[in-house]
Amino acid sequence: MNFASINRRHFLGTAVLSLPASPSLAFAAAPAFAIALDPADPTASSAPAKWAAGELQRALEAKGAAVRRCAQVSEAAAGEFCIAASGAASALARDILKASPLPAASEALAIAPGKANNRQVLLAAGRDAPGLVYALLELADRVTHASDSAAALAFNAAVVEQPANTTRSVTRMFCSDVEDKAWYNDREMWPPYLTMLAGQRFNRFNLALGIGYDFIRNVSDAYFEFAYPFLLDIPGYNVRVPQLPDAERDRNLAQLKFIAEQTVQRGMQFQLGIWMHGYEWIDSPKANYTIEGLNKDNHGPYCRDAVRTLLKAVPQISGVTFRVHGESGVEEGSYDFWKTVFDGVATCGRPVEIDMHAKGMDQTMMDLAVNTKMPVKISPKYWAEHLGMPYHQADIRELERPKPNVRASGLMKFSAGSRSFLRYGYGDLMREDRKWGVLHRIWPGTQRLLLWGDPVTAAAHSRAFSFCGSDGAEIMEPLGFKGRRGSGIAGNRTGYADKSLTPRWDWEKYVYGHRVWGRLLYNPKASPDTWRRYLTTQFGPGGAPMEQALANASRILPTITVGHGTSAGNNTYWPEVYLNQSMIDGAHPGPYSDTPQPRVFGNVSPMDPQLFSRINDHADNLLSGECDGKYSPIEVAQWLEDYAAEATKHLDNAAKSATGKDGVEYRRWTIDIAMQAGIGKFFAARFRSGVLYRIFEKTGDKAALEESLKQYRAARDAFADVASRGKVYVSDITVGETRQLRGHWMDRLPAIDVDITAVAAKLPEAKEGMPRDRVAAAIKAALASPRRAASTAKHSPLANYKRNQPIALEIAPGAKVASVRLYYRHVTHEERYEVAEMTASGNLYRASIPASYTTGEYPIEYYFELRQSPETAWLHPGFPQDLAGQPYYVLRRA
């Protein structure tokens, strides 16, 4: 049997296509297998374990093996390869795992060779049903991607794993009547999709309804926007959607039950997102659906009874995600309303998690949820509404900082005023005495369409998601917000104009990204074979260079976001399909109102302004001959150039060695990788151009302006190449209704050309200003290739700190320095950093965080700035050489 005989099918989210027969792909004659599940073992006899055993059986049978299910190892025939599925408490598991015991952690797994009844067996064990599901699906995945089934299941030693993050969630969003009803109602899609998620060890699936609008004004596409009457008829209320037939409403509920059942069958939790509780569409004469029967008096009681009825109708729902700030359609501070709604959860008859989006949160809201006695999570945004580098930003932008003197009113009276620091980060949620879990949510902003997959940064993100005892992460899917706010276009959501690239189901394009995220969220030290077996199936010997090509390409857009945070909102800033921001015209910034004034390219704040410098500030530093230890836009430009060069190099190598180059997967990858490399070149050249333009702006120097134009034109060339390659995508890629959220890369070129012309028009007024040597040095620095060496400083962080006691810190610089500064703050975005000059003592520098700073309930984060000369300074610990790590230390309270 060989690949030529396998029809197109899906297993664990892997599209196995009909490939040409090849001697290297021919399978050896498969042996017979027995899979033993003891009915007396509560873990092995659970419904999810039985389902996973069925997936393993199907994988083996697809390779031509004979497979038989039995209850005991003793029932396996002498010639059968015996796989024993077991819970941790079984005698078999305890015996085989004596040398490598199964951890006590929930969802831990073990796969180990051993003996039972005087015969060799392969044990697949789990601490609980999900752990056993992962073990069995791991075996199934190995079989699927192997040429020999028996070899795929040959283990020389035990493999034992446990989750690094307790919650590993994926959200799929219903935003568009046009684009989303098809997948919502597709009963053929859900089983393979959910199998893919379970196979990659996600343990929660969140279906988000009512997320189509932030504010219910100018509503056109309102399907599921106020979700309850699209699913239920609540006795005692005459609340309905007049445009929705009762039969369709009932089908919606039946489909929700189906999705929930399929999720739970695979050992995952089913979470339902109810993001909108407003019901009156404002200034919306073209709304396709409206709500009747609600008023301010019955609104709260109806929502309470509706959520209770829904939870009883779909008992598989284990948690509900609420947007509780003003974008829910309910004014912030409406405590009575939310207390009433939460009562519907608390009285449903079982524990159901209340998960609240963090924006606008205050202590009263937290207490309302905690007082229900239900499990509570609060979900702040990780890197605002984007994805950044793999750490929690050291500080938030000035625009998001607390506004204690702002007395806002109306819908957003907290999040636009005194609680603004919770809009785009973890805010003040990380108290050590908190009574809620913290789940970090990755919003779809930076990257929505093009492929992502980088094991190095995924592992670092995974470590970041347990930050200060956090519970994990929720990833809002690729194509998030596709067709939002009435911008939906019928057809496949992946947006391909070249239909030969279009998958049957949109998620099939992203199975590798889900694999990398899921496996590394579970275990950041996962074996590379976890993802490389998939790459070998797809690309043969080209799998290794394709891995590196996509990994480097995947680092580009998140790096851009961190260094250049044009807007924290994904509704405004989409660097993947970038709408140009002018270098000089701050009076007409287009959509970029969420950025400092003057709203020009060089004045944009980094998303982490504590560790990164803005373009204009860095240029000013170059001209003054002084700098700080922050990472400069020229360093970021160099990172982007390096990533683009590495991605291109490995893509070229893959072209020489990959198999299946005429296949759809290879074509999708090469297109998206090349486009991201081009985006990296574009922004790198623009950052350099921006620094050079600022030098001209401050000095009038003609050479600086000429170099700025060269870089800007190089950026334009890179973007034009991206746009050309992007012709495989439709001319209107829609993730919203405004011009920055729809269109194509081709649409963006005219604005770039206009701005280049405006910059060139400055040439006649250029002159020589400041001393020529200083300007020349600044120009040279802007065009240089800086690569910061790893810090040689030595610092041993403490294990923790004690309340009401000072924290003595010391650092050995490892090089001659003029001074060392300590930066520290509590782990809350409500506060700014304190700065202390450290005192030299021999080869050490010492300083203390005072006892008065250790009285509170927050962890403390800190880092050092080491200065050698006015022109040379660096940070410690700073980023590691691969830029995938936390650039500061964190001390938690003892």
Side-chain angles (χ1 to χ4, degrees), residues 327-377:
E327 292 174 20
S328 68
V330 178
E331 183 176 316
E332 292 172 2
S334 298
Y335 303 123
D336 289 342
F337 173 83
W338 289 111
K339 184 178 185 298
T340 302
V341 174
F342 293 163
D343 185 61
V345 178
T347 57
C348 75
R350 67 180 188 279
V352 172
E353 178 187 276
I354 296 174
D355 172 14
M356 297 180 290
H357 183 41
K359 183 175 177 178
M361 188 67 59
D362 69 348
Q363 190 63 50
T364 303
M365 278 299 303
M366 298 179 209
D367 291 342
L368 287 178
V370 169
N371 289 341
T372 65
K373 307 302 182 184
M374 294 289 107
V376 175
K377 279 194 177 68

Side-chain angles (χ1 to χ4, degrees), residues 794-807:
K794 301 295 182 185
H795 169 68
S796 298
L798 304 173
N800 47 49
Y801 75 90
K802 294 182 180 179
R803 190 197 291 269
N804 299 317
Q805 294 189 18
I807 304 171

Side-chain angles (χ1 to χ4, degrees), residues 457-490:
T457 57
H461 282 298
S462 176
R463 291 188 287 271
F465 293 137
S466 57
F467 180 71
C468 295
S470 299
D471 293 293
E474 181 161 273
I475 299 167
M476 301 176 93
E477 275 199 336
L479 305 179
F481 297 152
K482 188 73 174 65
R484 202 176 186 217
R485 299 196 194 97
S487 67
I489 298 173

Side-chain angles (χ1 to χ4, degrees), residues 50 54 156 324 352 556 561 581 642 649 664 677 745 750-751 820:
K50 291 178 179 178
N156 297 321
V324 296
V352 172
I556 287 171
T561 296
Q581 184 177 20
D642 291 346
K649 178 186 76 176
V664 67
W745 295 271
V820 181

Side-chain angles (χ1 to χ4, degrees), residues 766-891:
K767 60 184 186 304
E768 292 189 9
M770 295 179 67
R772 184 65 203 156
D773 56 347
R774 183 168 292 179
V775 175
I779 293 172
K780 182 178 179 181
L783 296 172
S785 301
R787 291 180 176 84
R788 191 177 297 206
S791 173
T792 58
K794 301 295 182 185
H795 169 68
S796 298
L798 304 173
N800 47 49
Y801 75 90
K802 294 182 180 179
R803 190 197 291 269
N804 299 317
Q805 294 189 18
I807 304 171
L809 300 172
E810 63 181 30
I811 184 171
K816 186 177 181 180
V817 297
S819 64
V820 181
R821 286 180 173 176
L822 169 67
Y823 288 79
Y824 62 94
R825 72 160 169 82
H826 294 118
V827 179
T828 168
H829 287 144
E830 188 176 15
E831 298 181 7
R832 308 280 68 77
Y833 279 81
E834 305 287 336
V835 183
E837 293 288 343
M838 302 189 77
T839 303
S841 175
N843 294 325
L844 297 175
Y845 279 75
R846 293 191 171 104
S848 289
I849 298 174
S852 60
Y853 204 77
T854 67
T855 61
E857 295 293 342
Y858 290 98
I860 295 172
E861 65 183 51
Y862 66 94
Y863 67 94
F864 306 95
E865 182 185 66
L866 299 92
R867 182 174 295 278
Q868 200 167 53
S869 68
E871 300 87 6
T872 307
W874 64 95
L875 305 179
H876 185 85
F879 294 112
Q881 289 298 289
D882 62 5
L883 306 178
Q886 182 174 278
Y888 47 77
Y889 299 102
V890 174
L891 282 176

Side-chain angles (χ1 to χ4, degrees), residues 451 512 535 546 550 665-673:
L451 287 166
Y512 179 74
L535 296 174
M546 286 294 263
L550 182 59
E665 194 79 351
Y666 180 85
R667 293 169 59 215
R668 288 189 196 126
W669 278 53
T670 54
I671 291 165
D672 282 11
I673 290 168

Side-chain angles (χ1 to χ4, degrees), residues 171-495:
T171 294
R172 190 170 179 91
M173 292 157 279
F174 191 108
C175 295
S176 169
D177 185 354
V178 173
E179 298 205 13
D180 297 340
K181 282 176 75 173
W183 60 254
Y184 177 81
N185 290 297
D186 188 347
R187 294 206 172 197
E188 290 187 41
M189 186 213 77
W190 285 105
Y193 169 70
L194 294 169
T195 296
M196 179 269 293
L197 295 181
Q200 306 318 329
R201 302 185 190 173
F202 290 100
N203 66 353
R204 187 173 99 164
F205 171 67
N206 189 336
L207 178 62
L209 307 178
I211 200 169
Y213 288 82
D214 295 334
F215 299 100
I216 46 179
R217 185 180 295 275
N218 299 318
V219 174
S220 58
D221 182 354
Y223 204 92
F224 277 140
E225 193 61 20
F226 181 66
Y228 302 122
F230 283 86
L231 298 165
L232 302 161
D233 175 35
I234 305 301
Y237 302 89
N238 188 25
V239 177
R240 58 191 296 270
V241 181
Q243 301 85 359
L244 185 77
D246 291 351
E248 184 172 348
R249 179 200 63 207
D250 295 344
R251 287 196 301 271
N252 285 340
L253 180 61
Q255 183 65 14
L256 183 65
K257 291 179 179 179
F258 172 78
I259 297 166
E261 290 165 357
Q262 292 290 312
T263 301
V264 171
Q265 182 188 53
R266 288 155 175 76
M268 293 188 291
Q269 300 165 21
F270 181 73
Q271 188 89 1
L272 183 64
I274 304 178
W275 284 71
M276 180 59 69
H277 277 80
Y279 59 91
E280 292 181 297
W281 315 150
I282 304 167
D283 298 331
S284 305
K286 297 182 180 179
N288 55 358
Y289 296 93
T290 57
I291 309 299
E292 289 184 352
L294 281 178
N295 55 56
K296 65 179 181 179
D297 294 323
N298 68 0
H299 181 208
Y302 168 81
C303 293
R304 174 199 61 209
D305 295 347
V307 73
R308 181 197 297 121
T309 303
L310 184 57
L311 292 173
K312 289 184 175 182
V314 189
Q316 294 81 10
I317 297 173
S318 57
V320 182
T321 296
F322 292 111
R323 175 168 56 181
V324 296
H325 57 81
E327 292 174 20
S328 68
V330 178
E331 183 176 316
E332 292 172 2
S334 298
Y335 303 123
D336 289 342
F337 173 83
W338 289 111
K339 184 178 185 298
T340 302
V341 174
F342 293 163
D343 185 61
V345 178
T347 57
C348 75
R350 67 180 188 279
V352 172
E353 178 187 276
I354 296 174
D355 172 14
M356 297 180 290
H357 183 41
K359 183 175 177 178
M361 188 67 59
D362 69 348
Q363 190 63 50
T364 303
M365 278 299 303
M366 298 179 209
D367 291 342
L368 287 178
V370 169
N371 289 341
T372 65
K373 307 302 182 184
M374 294 289 107
V376 175
K377 279 194 177 68
I378 304 177
S379 302
K381 295 170 181 173
Y382 179 65
W383 284 108
E385 294 179 355
H386 298 280
L387 177 63
M389 294 167 66
Y391 74 100
H392 293 273
Q393 58 202 103
D395 202 356
I396 53 179
R397 304 185 311 162
E398 181 68 33
L399 290 167
E400 279 81 59
R401 289 178 179 175
K403 300 173 178 63
N405 297 321
V406 174
R407 294 292 181 260
S409 61
L411 280 177
M412 313 297 289
K413 65 183 179 184
F414 295 152
S415 53
S418 62
R419 304 289 293 171
S420 61
F421 57 91
L422 257 173
R423 294 175 65 198
Y424 297 121
Y426 56 72
D428 59 354
L429 297 176
M430 308 305 296
R431 297 173 59 94
E432 296 284 18
D433 62 346
R434 62 184 181 265
K435 298 178 181 179
W436 53 82
V438 175
L439 181 69
H440 300 283
R441 184 171 282 128
I442 302 176
W443 279 66
T446 294
Q447 195 161 347
R448 312 177 196 243
L449 184 70
L450 303 177
L451 287 166
W452 180 95
D454 177 24
V456 171
T457 57
H461 282 298
S462 176
R463 291 188 287 271
F465 293 137
S466 57
F467 180 71
C468 295
S470 299
D471 293 293
E474 181 161 273
I475 299 167
M476 301 176 93
E477 275 199 336
L479 305 179
F481 297 152
K482 188 73 174 65
R484 202 176 186 217
R485 299 196 194 97
S487 67
I489 298 173
N492 188 278
R493 297 174 75 234
T494 50

